[in-house]
Amino acid sequence: MSSHATDQARVIPLRPVAAAAAPAPDAAASPPAGAGEPREPLWRHLVGDVLRRERLAQERTLKDVAEAARISMPYLSELERGRKEASSEVLAAAARALGLGLADLLALSHGELTRLGRTHTRQARIGQERPGMGRGGSGSYEARLLAA
């Protein structure tokens, strides 16, 4: 037996190769390329968008709001980007730091969800045809939907 034969180790993967190529968990939040129907937004994305929009409307920095809420600046950034699911206590503190109540934050997030939900539903309906109706013309499903 040669000396370099003992230096070689056989590698046995712990996971199958196909599992290693699986998308990251956050990738499920966005539709895959070529998917026809958009997915509904996640609650953490909606809340994060509202927090960021409110902070920017007040022309305040992440540092300022994080200090007022007594949470770390990186954590607040993660919340605004929709990367973290915050507890109700943290959301209430962030809302309070922005001069909002928790109910205000949730109402603004709900309004955004409702707006996006209508767009989502409308896009799904426009892509469908009713039986017996052709595309285009005044009798089409799309024309009646737009007229409503």
Side-chain angles (χ1 to χ4, degrees):
M1 187 180 272
S2 70
S3 64
H4 32 311
T6 58
D7 292 341
Q8 299 287 326
R10 191 172 123 196
V11 178
I12 301 171
L14 296 176
R15 293 185 189 100
V17 176
D26 251 0
S30 60
E37 189 174 323
R39 293 188 182 187
E40 291 193 50
L42 296 177
W43 183 251
R44 69 176 186 251
H45 293 158
L46 296 168
V47 171
D49 288 344
V50 169
L51 287 172
R52 176 168 282 167
R53 190 171 46 242
E54 289 297 316
R55 179 178 61 79
L56 293 175
Q58 295 176 19
E59 298 180 354
R60 294 175 66 189
T61 64
L62 268 171
K63 183 180 180 190
D64 175 43
V65 175
E67 286 176 355
R70 305 191 81 192
I71 58 178
S72 74
M73 191 172 65
Y75 189 70
L76 179 58
S77 175
E78 293 281 304
L79 291 178
E80 285 187 356
R81 290 185 288 145
R83 303 232 176 180
K84 296 286 184 189
E85 292 276 357
S87 68
S88 58
E89 291 88 356
V90 170
L91 290 177
R96 213 172 18 256
L98 292 166
L100 302 169
L102 181 59
D104 298 323
L105 176 63
L106 299 180
L108 290 168
S109 299
H110 176 263
E112 186 69 10
L113 178 62
T114 303
R115 185 186 67 78
L116 291 173
R118 282 189 202 127
T119 302
H120 175 77
T121 304
R122 189 173 297 128
Q123 287 173 348
R125 284 184 188 161
I126 289 174
Q128 298 172 350
E129 287 184 317
R130 286 196 147 178
M133 297 283 183
R135 283 235 177 240
S138 61
S140 75
Y141 181 65
E142 291 86 358
R144 285 183 287 137
L145 180 64
L146 293 174

